[in-house]
Amino acid sequence: MGNSNEETLTLPTGKTIKIQTGLFIDNEFVESVDGKRFVTIDPSTEGVITTVAEASSKDVDLAVEAATKAFSNVWCHIDGKERGKLLNKLADLMERNLDDLAALETLDNGKAFSITKTIDLPEAIRCYRYFAGWCDKVHGKVIETQNDKFCYTRNEPLGVCGAIVPWNFPISLMANKIAPALACGNTVILKTAEQTPLSSLKVAELCKEAGFPKGVINVLSGFGSTGTVMANHMKIDMITFTGSTEVGKSIQKAAAESNLKRVLLELGGKSPSIIFADSNLDTAVKFTFNGSFFNHGQFCVAATRIYVEEHVYDEFLKKFKTDAEAIKIGNPFESKIYQGPQISRKQFDRIMSYIKTGKEEGATLLMGGERHGERGFYIKPTIFTDVIENMTIMQDEIFGPVTCIAKFKTIDEVIEKANLTKYGLAAAVFTNNIIKAVKLSKEIKAGTVWVNQYMEGDSSLPFGGYKQSGIGREMGKYALREHTQVKTVQINLETNCN
Ligand code: NAI
Ligand code: MG
């Protein structure tokens, strides 16, 4: 197909970037079988950036065919060291193209360029390098049973892994999904979010340049319907998904009703942040502030329920509000901007409707609660106080720059309140008392607990949810278990067995 679907995009800075807008199947950018395309929007202007090809079930079939062939004929015969070299090469190429990748992410998603460049991209690159290191270290065990038996296990890849990602961290979630899958010897089909197809298409170009054999990595742009086809597909062996709990459940159901494919689900959250009077209050403010408003509140571990011990509540609130008032909102390509627009009209309306419900249910709107500017999906940083656990805004994932701050008196009270949601993704505790820190880390039902910090992550640390926040663990050594299956081999060593 050559360059038939190449577009030249002009950034608000005047710079131009060439991008392939087709589906990336078998190392080629192709139009969809039906020729369908859809638009992707710049959320800071609400204007159209460009169109990309839309994958239907026919295109999913083509990608599955390519990924299946690549798995059986090539990828599972390539040894780990070679797989590691390719992942490192991809990381090198991403480093070399850092500015373009960061700019595409900012254009399509609306997050600040300064942040994309210094946080999202470096994180993605670190993730490819981290899993590159594991490629030649995925192995089984020899297990002693009886003297005349030789038994061992092999950790084998699953086959074709389908990855379905959301729009909040397109480039880093692509890395979190495909790096461990490839490291373990699987081939992948990535479906990007309909709101943010562009940066992953650029990474696909770099995968080809890095030398990944054809069919090993396939990238499809499409809507939820494309994801549904993947979840139901009989020849996809695993779905790894990040997104809403509702869609996660539908994927698990589809997996059960089709070929019993494995699922790894990283879903929503409503994470508590607990601040004790004995903590360093400035540290607590700094981390919970970023925990609430980073990425415009559009992240699964957002600190959306902040509990402050009553005698430091007023002081905390004053400092937190002062920081929130200083947030610079605006064009994400301008320097010093912290908050850009929300991702879409749908998310903007959804967040505004939660704000309305919060007011109706009796919470106090301390600040924000309204749109910023005339154009683009901007919402002012919003703080609710006088909140109680049964309010909608204390239960639902809002996924916007909206946080709730409550008071507490005792440890037992705050533990009980912290656990009063269907989610269990993350939590934070701020205290200088190690006994309290350890007690709360044990009692809070969450996949990650931060103490005196928020949102720190590392490719080597397992990440995932308790309760309805997900199934399985991404990242670290734990991701290897998720992306492999164990084979037991038993050999009879009796001399007369032939
Ligand atoms: P979503 O869960 O609908 O979308 C995430 C991805 O799943 C996208 O690629 C989408 O195309 C795909 N998808 C949608 N329906 C599908 C289906 N039935 N089968 C397979 N794939 C499907 O999330 P959406 O609508 O973008 O956001 C809604 C809410 O979900 C947010 O307000 C937030 O609460 C939550 N969310 C959580 C995320 C997280 O990081 N845990 C990320 C994005 C959204
Ligand atoms: Mg977009």
Side-chain angles (χ1 to χ4, degrees), residues 164-168 191-195 222-224 227-228 241-244 247 250-251 266-268 300 346-347 350 397-399:
I164 302 173
V165 291
W167 40 264
N168 52 346
K191 191 204 80 70
T192 53
E194 55 271 36
Q195 300 84 351
F223 291 82
T228 307
F241 171 76
T242 298
S244 60
V247 172
S250 79
I251 288 174
E266 202 272 278
L267 309 173
C300 51
K346 181 181 142 200
Q347 287 301 114
R350 188 184 151 116
E397 183 175 53
I398 300 175
F399 235 59

PDB file of all heavy atoms in Angstrom, residues 164-168 191-195 222-224 227-228 241-244 247 250-251 266-268 300 346-347 350 397-399, ligand 1:
ATOM      1  N   ILE A 164      -6.343  -3.899  24.481  1.00  0.00           N
ATOM      2  CA  ILE A 164      -7.316  -2.824  24.245  1.00  0.00           C
ATOM      3  C   ILE A 164      -7.023  -1.719  25.256  1.00  0.00           C
ATOM      4  O   ILE A 164      -7.037  -1.964  26.470  1.00  0.00           O
ATOM      5  CB  ILE A 164      -8.763  -3.343  24.415  1.00  0.00           C
ATOM      6  CG1 ILE A 164      -9.021  -4.510  23.449  1.00  0.00           C
ATOM      7  CG2 ILE A 164      -9.772  -2.213  24.202  1.00  0.00           C
ATOM      8  CD1 ILE A 164     -10.349  -5.207  23.645  1.00  0.00           C
ATOM      9  N   VAL A 165      -6.714  -0.543  24.758  1.00  0.00           N
ATOM     10  CA  VAL A 165      -6.282   0.533  25.664  1.00  0.00           C
ATOM     11  C   VAL A 165      -7.202   1.753  25.598  1.00  0.00           C
ATOM     12  O   VAL A 165      -7.868   1.983  24.591  1.00  0.00           O
ATOM     13  CB  VAL A 165      -4.822   0.974  25.354  1.00  0.00           C
ATOM     14  CG1 VAL A 165      -3.841  -0.120  25.728  1.00  0.00           C
ATOM     15  CG2 VAL A 165      -4.651   1.377  23.910  1.00  0.00           C
ATOM     16  N   PRO A 166      -7.221   2.538  26.659  1.00  0.00           N
ATOM     17  CA  PRO A 166      -7.994   3.781  26.668  1.00  0.00           C
ATOM     18  C   PRO A 166      -7.152   4.961  26.179  1.00  0.00           C
ATOM     19  O   PRO A 166      -6.014   4.788  25.757  1.00  0.00           O
ATOM     20  CB  PRO A 166      -8.365   3.921  28.142  1.00  0.00           C
ATOM     21  CG  PRO A 166      -7.170   3.376  28.865  1.00  0.00           C
ATOM     22  CD  PRO A 166      -6.584   2.290  27.972  1.00  0.00           C
ATOM     23  N   TRP A 167      -7.691   6.133  26.349  1.00  0.00           N
ATOM     24  CA  TRP A 167      -7.125   7.349  25.768  1.00  0.00           C
ATOM     25  C   TRP A 167      -6.304   8.158  26.747  1.00  0.00           C
ATOM     26  O   TRP A 167      -5.714   9.161  26.381  1.00  0.00           O
ATOM     27  CB  TRP A 167      -8.273   8.224  25.257  1.00  0.00           C
ATOM     28  CG  TRP A 167      -9.429   8.208  26.215  1.00  0.00           C
ATOM     29  CD1 TRP A 167     -10.546   7.407  26.132  1.00  0.00           C
ATOM     30  CD2 TRP A 167      -9.586   8.960  27.439  1.00  0.00           C
ATOM     31  NE1 TRP A 167     -11.368   7.616  27.222  1.00  0.00           N
ATOM     32  CE2 TRP A 167     -10.804   8.564  28.033  1.00  0.00           C
ATOM     33  CE3 TRP A 167      -8.817   9.930  28.081  1.00  0.00           C
ATOM     34  CZ2 TRP A 167     -11.278   9.091  29.227  1.00  0.00           C
ATOM     35  CZ3 TRP A 167      -9.268  10.465  29.279  1.00  0.00           C
ATOM     36  CH2 TRP A 167     -10.493  10.042  29.828  1.00  0.00           C
ATOM     37  N   ASN A 168      -6.266   7.759  28.032  1.00  0.00           N
ATOM     38  CA  ASN A 168      -5.644   8.675  29.008  1.00  0.00           C
ATOM     39  C   ASN A 168      -4.113   8.674  28.995  1.00  0.00           C
ATOM     40  O   ASN A 168      -3.500   9.681  29.268  1.00  0.00           O
ATOM     41  CB  ASN A 168      -6.203   8.483  30.422  1.00  0.00           C
ATOM     42  CG  ASN A 168      -6.178   7.055  30.910  1.00  0.00           C
ATOM     43  OD1 ASN A 168      -5.983   6.125  30.125  1.00  0.00           O
ATOM     44  ND2 ASN A 168      -6.378   6.864  32.181  1.00  0.00           N
ATOM     45  N   LYS A 191      -5.502  -2.552  20.002  1.00  0.00           N
ATOM     46  CA  LYS A 191      -6.555  -1.641  19.557  1.00  0.00           C
ATOM     47  C   LYS A 191      -6.475  -0.374  20.383  1.00  0.00           C
ATOM     48  O   LYS A 191      -6.625  -0.386  21.600  1.00  0.00           O
ATOM     49  CB  LYS A 191      -7.959  -2.241  19.690  1.00  0.00           C
ATOM     50  CG  LYS A 191      -8.966  -1.338  18.954  1.00  0.00           C
ATOM     51  CD  LYS A 191     -10.370  -1.418  19.410  1.00  0.00           C
ATOM     52  CE  LYS A 191     -10.731  -0.647  20.634  1.00  0.00           C
ATOM     53  NZ  LYS A 191     -10.737   0.829  20.457  1.00  0.00           N
ATOM     54  N   THR A 192      -6.220   0.724  19.681  1.00  0.00           N
ATOM     55  CA  THR A 192      -6.098   2.004  20.387  1.00  0.00           C
ATOM     56  C   THR A 192      -7.490   2.562  20.680  1.00  0.00           C
ATOM     57  O   THR A 192      -8.494   2.088  20.138  1.00  0.00           O
ATOM     58  CB  THR A 192      -5.312   2.995  19.520  1.00  0.00           C
ATOM     59  OG1 THR A 192      -5.932   3.056  18.219  1.00  0.00           O
ATOM     60  CG2 THR A 192      -3.872   2.552  19.352  1.00  0.00           C
ATOM     61  N   ALA A 193      -7.530   3.569  21.527  1.00  0.00           N
ATOM     62  CA  ALA A 193      -8.811   4.215  21.827  1.00  0.00           C
ATOM     63  C   ALA A 193      -9.208   5.117  20.662  1.00  0.00           C
ATOM     64  O   ALA A 193      -8.344   5.731  20.026  1.00  0.00           O
ATOM     65  CB  ALA A 193      -8.691   5.030  23.107  1.00  0.00           C
ATOM     66  N   GLU A 194     -10.492   5.194  20.411  1.00  0.00           N
ATOM     67  CA  GLU A 194     -10.999   5.979  19.275  1.00  0.00           C
ATOM     68  C   GLU A 194     -10.642   7.465  19.388  1.00  0.00           C
ATOM     69  O   GLU A 194     -10.559   8.166  18.393  1.00  0.00           O
ATOM     70  CB  GLU A 194     -12.516   5.784  19.113  1.00  0.00           C
ATOM     71  CG  GLU A 194     -13.374   6.094  20.345  1.00  0.00           C
ATOM     72  CD  GLU A 194     -13.566   4.878  21.261  1.00  0.00           C
ATOM     73  OE1 GLU A 194     -12.625   4.069  21.394  1.00  0.00           O
ATOM     74  OE2 GLU A 194     -14.667   4.770  21.839  1.00  0.00           O
ATOM     75  N   GLN A 195     -10.399   7.928  20.622  1.00  0.00           N
ATOM     76  CA  GLN A 195     -10.080   9.354  20.818  1.00  0.00           C
ATOM     77  C   GLN A 195      -8.605   9.650  20.522  1.00  0.00           C
ATOM     78  O   GLN A 195      -8.248  10.798  20.276  1.00  0.00           O
ATOM     79  CB  GLN A 195     -10.367   9.772  22.269  1.00  0.00           C
ATOM     80  CG  GLN A 195     -11.807   9.595  22.730  1.00  0.00           C
ATOM     81  CD  GLN A 195     -12.112   8.180  23.220  1.00  0.00           C
ATOM     82  OE1 GLN A 195     -11.300   7.264  23.079  1.00  0.00           O
ATOM     83  NE2 GLN A 195     -13.299   8.000  23.751  1.00  0.00           N
ATOM     84  N   GLY A 222      -9.931   1.961  16.087  1.00  0.00           N
ATOM     85  CA  GLY A 222     -11.347   1.571  16.033  1.00  0.00           C
ATOM     86  C   GLY A 222     -12.057   1.914  17.322  1.00  0.00           C
ATOM     87  O   GLY A 222     -11.436   2.348  18.300  1.00  0.00           O
ATOM     88  N   PHE A 223     -13.374   1.666  17.319  1.00  0.00           N
ATOM     89  CA  PHE A 223     -14.240   1.982  18.463  1.00  0.00           C
ATOM     90  C   PHE A 223     -14.393   0.750  19.370  1.00  0.00           C
ATOM     91  O   PHE A 223     -13.733  -0.277  19.157  1.00  0.00           O
ATOM     92  CB  PHE A 223     -15.613   2.436  17.949  1.00  0.00           C
ATOM     93  CG  PHE A 223     -15.563   3.762  17.263  1.00  0.00           C
ATOM     94  CD1 PHE A 223     -15.171   3.864  15.933  1.00  0.00           C
ATOM     95  CD2 PHE A 223     -15.894   4.917  17.956  1.00  0.00           C
ATOM     96  CE1 PHE A 223     -15.112   5.098  15.297  1.00  0.00           C
ATOM     97  CE2 PHE A 223     -15.834   6.157  17.330  1.00  0.00           C
ATOM     98  CZ  PHE A 223     -15.451   6.250  16.000  1.00  0.00           C
ATOM     99  N   GLY A 224     -15.315   0.862  20.314  1.00  0.00           N
ATOM    100  CA  GLY A 224     -15.592  -0.264  21.209  1.00  0.00           C
ATOM    101  C   GLY A 224     -16.006  -1.514  20.442  1.00  0.00           C
ATOM    102  O   GLY A 224     -15.695  -2.636  20.852  1.00  0.00           O
ATOM    103  N   GLY A 227     -13.175  -3.611  19.664  1.00  0.00           N
ATOM    104  CA  GLY A 227     -12.749  -4.292  20.885  1.00  0.00           C
ATOM    105  C   GLY A 227     -13.628  -5.502  21.180  1.00  0.00           C
ATOM    106  O   GLY A 227     -13.135  -6.563  21.593  1.00  0.00           O
ATOM    107  N   THR A 228     -14.939  -5.343  20.962  1.00  0.00           N
ATOM    108  CA  THR A 228     -15.868  -6.455  21.195  1.00  0.00           C
ATOM    109  C   THR A 228     -15.541  -7.633  20.293  1.00  0.00           C
ATOM    110  O   THR A 228     -15.556  -8.791  20.728  1.00  0.00           O
ATOM    111  CB  THR A 228     -17.332  -6.001  20.904  1.00  0.00           C
ATOM    112  OG1 THR A 228     -17.562  -4.823  21.653  1.00  0.00           O
ATOM    113  CG2 THR A 228     -18.333  -7.051  21.278  1.00  0.00           C
ATOM    114  N   PHE A 241      -6.573  -5.512  29.001  1.00  0.00           N
ATOM    115  CA  PHE A 241      -7.448  -4.344  28.842  1.00  0.00           C
ATOM    116  C   PHE A 241      -7.232  -3.331  29.960  1.00  0.00           C
ATOM    117  O   PHE A 241      -7.083  -3.695  31.119  1.00  0.00           O
ATOM    118  CB  PHE A 241      -8.907  -4.829  28.880  1.00  0.00           C
ATOM    119  CG  PHE A 241      -9.933  -3.723  28.951  1.00  0.00           C
ATOM    120  CD1 PHE A 241     -10.244  -2.968  27.828  1.00  0.00           C
ATOM    121  CD2 PHE A 241     -10.590  -3.431  30.150  1.00  0.00           C
ATOM    122  CE1 PHE A 241     -11.191  -1.939  27.893  1.00  0.00           C
ATOM    123  CE2 PHE A 241     -11.531  -2.411  30.229  1.00  0.00           C
ATOM    124  CZ  PHE A 241     -11.831  -1.667  29.095  1.00  0.00           C
ATOM    125  N   THR A 242      -7.247  -2.074  29.611  1.00  0.00           N
ATOM    126  CA  THR A 242      -7.344  -0.997  30.597  1.00  0.00           C
ATOM    127  C   THR A 242      -8.532  -0.133  30.199  1.00  0.00           C
ATOM    128  O   THR A 242      -8.660   0.244  29.029  1.00  0.00           O
ATOM    129  CB  THR A 242      -6.059  -0.137  30.635  1.00  0.00           C
ATOM    130  OG1 THR A 242      -4.970  -0.960  31.033  1.00  0.00           O
ATOM    131  CG2 THR A 242      -6.184   1.006  31.629  1.00  0.00           C
ATOM    132  N   GLY A 243      -9.392   0.169  31.157  1.00  0.00           N
ATOM    133  CA  GLY A 243     -10.551   1.016  30.867  1.00  0.00           C
ATOM    134  C   GLY A 243     -11.583   0.900  31.970  1.00  0.00           C
ATOM    135  O   GLY A 243     -11.245   0.604  33.122  1.00  0.00           O
ATOM    136  N   SER A 244     -12.850   1.088  31.603  1.00  0.00           N
ATOM    137  CA  SER A 244     -13.912   1.124  32.613  1.00  0.00           C
ATOM    138  C   SER A 244     -14.221  -0.275  33.139  1.00  0.00           C
ATOM    139  O   SER A 244     -14.058  -1.268  32.429  1.00  0.00           O
ATOM    140  CB  SER A 244     -15.168   1.746  32.006  1.00  0.00           C
ATOM    141  OG  SER A 244     -15.590   0.981  30.898  1.00  0.00           O
ATOM    142  N   VAL A 247     -16.863  -2.123  30.912  1.00  0.00           N
ATOM    143  CA  VAL A 247     -16.343  -2.786  29.705  1.00  0.00           C
ATOM    144  C   VAL A 247     -15.462  -3.978  30.102  1.00  0.00           C
ATOM    145  O   VAL A 247     -15.507  -5.026  29.468  1.00  0.00           O
ATOM    146  CB  VAL A 247     -15.592  -1.792  28.790  1.00  0.00           C
ATOM    147  CG1 VAL A 247     -14.882  -2.520  27.651  1.00  0.00           C
ATOM    148  CG2 VAL A 247     -16.557  -0.767  28.216  1.00  0.00           C
ATOM    149  N   SER A 250     -17.628  -6.872  30.525  1.00  0.00           N
ATOM    150  CA  SER A 250     -18.146  -7.413  29.261  1.00  0.00           C
ATOM    151  C   SER A 250     -17.057  -8.208  28.541  1.00  0.00           C
ATOM    152  O   SER A 250     -17.335  -9.200  27.875  1.00  0.00           O
ATOM    153  CB  SER A 250     -18.735  -6.304  28.381  1.00  0.00           C
ATOM    154  OG  SER A 250     -17.694  -5.615  27.731  1.00  0.00           O
ATOM    155  N   ILE A 251     -15.799  -7.806  28.722  1.00  0.00           N
ATOM    156  CA  ILE A 251     -14.694  -8.547  28.098  1.00  0.00           C
ATOM    157  C   ILE A 251     -14.530  -9.910  28.774  1.00  0.00           C
ATOM    158  O   ILE A 251     -14.361 -10.939  28.117  1.00  0.00           O
ATOM    159  CB  ILE A 251     -13.394  -7.720  28.156  1.00  0.00           C
ATOM    160  CG1 ILE A 251     -13.511  -6.555  27.164  1.00  0.00           C
ATOM    161  CG2 ILE A 251     -12.157  -8.576  27.854  1.00  0.00           C
ATOM    162  CD1 ILE A 251     -12.373  -5.565  27.189  1.00  0.00           C
ATOM    163  N   GLU A 266      -7.363  -4.062  33.941  1.00  0.00           N
ATOM    164  CA  GLU A 266      -6.949  -2.955  34.812  1.00  0.00           C
ATOM    165  C   GLU A 266      -8.039  -1.906  34.696  1.00  0.00           C
ATOM    166  O   GLU A 266      -8.172  -1.264  33.662  1.00  0.00           O
ATOM    167  CB  GLU A 266      -5.576  -2.444  34.325  1.00  0.00           C
ATOM    168  CG  GLU A 266      -4.823  -1.695  35.401  1.00  0.00           C
ATOM    169  CD  GLU A 266      -5.177  -0.240  35.409  1.00  0.00           C
ATOM    170  OE1 GLU A 266      -4.636   0.519  34.621  1.00  0.00           O
ATOM    171  OE2 GLU A 266      -6.054   0.130  36.230  1.00  0.00           O
ATOM    172  N   LEU A 267      -8.859  -1.774  35.778  1.00  0.00           N
ATOM    173  CA  LEU A 267     -10.113  -1.030  35.644  1.00  0.00           C
ATOM    174  C   LEU A 267     -10.143   0.234  36.504  1.00  0.00           C
ATOM    175  O   LEU A 267      -9.094   0.781  36.824  1.00  0.00           O
ATOM    176  CB  LEU A 267     -11.265  -1.982  35.966  1.00  0.00           C
ATOM    177  CG  LEU A 267     -11.194  -3.315  35.183  1.00  0.00           C
ATOM    178  CD1 LEU A 267     -12.260  -4.291  35.648  1.00  0.00           C
ATOM    179  CD2 LEU A 267     -11.283  -3.095  33.674  1.00  0.00           C
ATOM    180  N   GLY A 268     -11.332   0.644  36.854  1.00  0.00           N
ATOM    181  CA  GLY A 268     -11.482   1.940  37.509  1.00  0.00           C
ATOM    182  C   GLY A 268     -11.026   1.971  38.959  1.00  0.00           C
ATOM    183  O   GLY A 268     -10.641   0.954  39.539  1.00  0.00           O
ATOM    184  N   CYS A 300      -6.556   6.277  36.504  1.00  0.00           N
ATOM    185  CA  CYS A 300      -7.281   5.299  37.312  1.00  0.00           C
ATOM    186  C   CYS A 300      -6.952   5.366  38.792  1.00  0.00           C
ATOM    187  O   CYS A 300      -7.775   5.021  39.616  1.00  0.00           O
ATOM    188  CB  CYS A 300      -7.021   3.910  36.762  1.00  0.00           C
ATOM    189  SG  CYS A 300      -5.268   3.588  36.544  1.00  0.00           S
ATOM    190  N   LYS A 346     -17.951  13.988  25.390  1.00  0.00           N
ATOM    191  CA  LYS A 346     -18.652  13.005  26.227  1.00  0.00           C
ATOM    192  C   LYS A 346     -18.114  13.041  27.669  1.00  0.00           C
ATOM    193  O   LYS A 346     -18.883  13.080  28.628  1.00  0.00           O
ATOM    194  CB  LYS A 346     -18.453  11.599  25.623  1.00  0.00           C
ATOM    195  CG  LYS A 346     -19.142  10.481  26.373  1.00  0.00           C
ATOM    196  CD  LYS A 346     -18.865   9.118  25.729  1.00  0.00           C
ATOM    197  CE  LYS A 346     -18.680   8.055  26.815  1.00  0.00           C
ATOM    198  NZ  LYS A 346     -17.989   6.867  26.431  1.00  0.00           N
ATOM    199  N   GLN A 347     -16.789  13.053  27.813  1.00  0.00           N
ATOM    200  CA  GLN A 347     -16.209  13.073  29.160  1.00  0.00           C
ATOM    201  C   GLN A 347     -16.482  14.417  29.842  1.00  0.00           C
ATOM    202  O   GLN A 347     -16.754  14.465  31.036  1.00  0.00           O
ATOM    203  CB  GLN A 347     -14.702  12.795  29.103  1.00  0.00           C
ATOM    204  CG  GLN A 347     -14.348  11.351  28.803  1.00  0.00           C
ATOM    205  CD  GLN A 347     -14.902  10.350  29.801  1.00  0.00           C
ATOM    206  OE1 GLN A 347     -15.751   9.522  29.475  1.00  0.00           O
ATOM    207  NE2 GLN A 347     -14.452  10.414  31.037  1.00  0.00           N
ATOM    208  N   ARG A 350     -19.982  14.346  31.070  1.00  0.00           N
ATOM    209  CA  ARG A 350     -20.092  13.390  32.161  1.00  0.00           C
ATOM    210  C   ARG A 350     -19.569  14.001  33.480  1.00  0.00           C
ATOM    211  O   ARG A 350     -20.202  13.887  34.529  1.00  0.00           O
ATOM    212  CB  ARG A 350     -19.263  12.175  31.755  1.00  0.00           C
ATOM    213  CG  ARG A 350     -19.356  10.980  32.633  1.00  0.00           C
ATOM    214  CD  ARG A 350     -18.365   9.924  32.105  1.00  0.00           C
ATOM    215  NE  ARG A 350     -17.938   9.119  33.206  1.00  0.00           N
ATOM    216  CZ  ARG A 350     -18.181   7.826  33.327  1.00  0.00           C
ATOM    217  NH1 ARG A 350     -18.825   7.195  32.386  1.00  0.00           N
ATOM    218  NH2 ARG A 350     -17.796   7.167  34.387  1.00  0.00           N
ATOM    219  N   GLU A 397     -16.350   6.747  39.786  1.00  0.00           N
ATOM    220  CA  GLU A 397     -15.105   7.293  39.234  1.00  0.00           C
ATOM    221  C   GLU A 397     -15.494   8.458  38.318  1.00  0.00           C
ATOM    222  O   GLU A 397     -16.182   8.263  37.315  1.00  0.00           O
ATOM    223  CB  GLU A 397     -14.395   6.198  38.423  1.00  0.00           C
ATOM    224  CG  GLU A 397     -13.066   6.646  37.883  1.00  0.00           C
ATOM    225  CD  GLU A 397     -12.310   5.523  37.195  1.00  0.00           C
ATOM    226  OE1 GLU A 397     -12.881   4.865  36.302  1.00  0.00           O
ATOM    227  OE2 GLU A 397     -11.132   5.312  37.526  1.00  0.00           O
ATOM    228  N   ILE A 398     -15.070   9.667  38.659  1.00  0.00           N
ATOM    229  CA  ILE A 398     -15.495  10.850  37.889  1.00  0.00           C
ATOM    230  C   ILE A 398     -14.560  11.087  36.699  1.00  0.00           C
ATOM    231  O   ILE A 398     -14.972  11.493  35.635  1.00  0.00           O
ATOM    232  CB  ILE A 398     -15.577  12.098  38.805  1.00  0.00           C
ATOM    233  CG1 ILE A 398     -16.594  11.831  39.931  1.00  0.00           C
ATOM    234  CG2 ILE A 398     -15.952  13.346  38.001  1.00  0.00           C
ATOM    235  CD1 ILE A 398     -16.685  12.932  40.975  1.00  0.00           C
ATOM    236  N   PHE A 399     -13.287  10.817  36.876  1.00  0.00           N
ATOM    237  CA  PHE A 399     -12.302  10.913  35.794  1.00  0.00           C
ATOM    238  C   PHE A 399     -12.181  12.324  35.244  1.00  0.00           C
ATOM    239  O   PHE A 399     -12.157  12.571  34.034  1.00  0.00           O
ATOM    240  CB  PHE A 399     -12.661   9.934  34.669  1.00  0.00           C
ATOM    241  CG  PHE A 399     -11.528   8.998  34.319  1.00  0.00           C
ATOM    242  CD1 PHE A 399     -10.985   8.167  35.258  1.00  0.00           C
ATOM    243  CD2 PHE A 399     -11.001   8.953  33.026  1.00  0.00           C
ATOM    244  CE1 PHE A 399      -9.937   7.304  34.945  1.00  0.00           C
ATOM    245  CE2 PHE A 399      -9.955   8.102  32.697  1.00  0.00           C
ATOM    246  CZ  PHE A 399      -9.427   7.275  33.666  1.00  0.00           C
TER     247      PHE A 399
HETATM  248  P1  NAI B   1     -14.109   2.477  27.907  1.00  0.00           P
HETATM  249  O1  NAI B   1     -13.838   1.425  28.925  1.00  0.00           O
HETATM  250  O2  NAI B   1     -15.418   2.453  27.195  1.00  0.00           O
HETATM  251  O3  NAI B   1     -12.962   2.464  26.768  1.00  0.00           O
HETATM  252  C1  NAI B   1     -11.667   1.964  26.919  1.00  0.00           C
HETATM  253  C2  NAI B   1     -11.272   1.165  25.664  1.00  0.00           C
HETATM  254  O4  NAI B   1     -12.162   0.054  25.506  1.00  0.00           O
HETATM  255  C3  NAI B   1     -11.345   1.931  24.350  1.00  0.00           C
HETATM  256  O5  NAI B   1     -10.335   1.460  23.494  1.00  0.00           O
HETATM  257  C4  NAI B   1     -12.711   1.510  23.797  1.00  0.00           C
HETATM  258  O6  NAI B   1     -12.802   1.614  22.392  1.00  0.00           O
HETATM  259  C5  NAI B   1     -12.765   0.066  24.209  1.00  0.00           C
HETATM  260  N1  NAI B   1     -14.114  -0.494  24.356  1.00  0.00           N
HETATM  261  C6  NAI B   1     -15.280   0.177  24.606  1.00  0.00           C
HETATM  262  N2  NAI B   1     -16.300  -0.687  24.693  1.00  0.00           N
HETATM  263  C7  NAI B   1     -15.785  -1.923  24.491  1.00  0.00           C
HETATM  264  C8  NAI B   1     -16.352  -3.236  24.468  1.00  0.00           C
HETATM  265  N3  NAI B   1     -17.648  -3.443  24.709  1.00  0.00           N
HETATM  266  N4  NAI B   1     -15.540  -4.294  24.255  1.00  0.00           N
HETATM  267  C9  NAI B   1     -14.216  -4.113  24.059  1.00  0.00           C
HETATM  268  N5  NAI B   1     -13.633  -2.894  24.050  1.00  0.00           N
HETATM  269  C10 NAI B   1     -14.402  -1.805  24.273  1.00  0.00           C
HETATM  270  O7  NAI B   1     -13.931   3.875  28.616  1.00  0.00           O
HETATM  271  P2  NAI B   1     -14.416   5.347  28.111  1.00  0.00           P
HETATM  272  O8  NAI B   1     -15.789   5.317  27.577  1.00  0.00           O
HETATM  273  O9  NAI B   1     -13.369   5.899  27.266  1.00  0.00           O
HETATM  274  O10 NAI B   1     -14.442   6.107  29.503  1.00  0.00           O
HETATM  275  C11 NAI B   1     -15.533   5.927  30.400  1.00  0.00           C
HETATM  276  C12 NAI B   1     -15.062   5.815  31.825  1.00  0.00           C
HETATM  277  O11 NAI B   1     -14.241   4.671  31.971  1.00  0.00           O
HETATM  278  C13 NAI B   1     -14.204   6.965  32.305  1.00  0.00           C
HETATM  279  O12 NAI B   1     -14.971   8.047  32.736  1.00  0.00           O
HETATM  280  C14 NAI B   1     -13.459   6.314  33.428  1.00  0.00           C
HETATM  281  O13 NAI B   1     -14.274   6.300  34.585  1.00  0.00           O
HETATM  282  C15 NAI B   1     -13.255   4.885  32.954  1.00  0.00           C
HETATM  283  N6  NAI B   1     -11.911   4.718  32.367  1.00  0.00           N
HETATM  284  C16 NAI B   1     -10.929   4.173  33.151  1.00  0.00           C
HETATM  285  C17 NAI B   1      -9.649   4.091  32.662  1.00  0.00           C
HETATM  286  C18 NAI B   1      -8.538   3.553  33.485  1.00  0.00           C
HETATM  287  O14 NAI B   1      -7.388   3.985  33.337  1.00  0.00           O
HETATM  288  N7  NAI B   1      -8.782   2.576  34.342  1.00  0.00           N
HETATM  289  C19 NAI B   1      -9.290   4.586  31.343  1.00  0.00           C
HETATM  290  C20 NAI B   1     -10.406   5.092  30.568  1.00  0.00           C
HETATM  291  C21 NAI B   1     -11.656   5.147  31.102  1.00  0.00           C
END
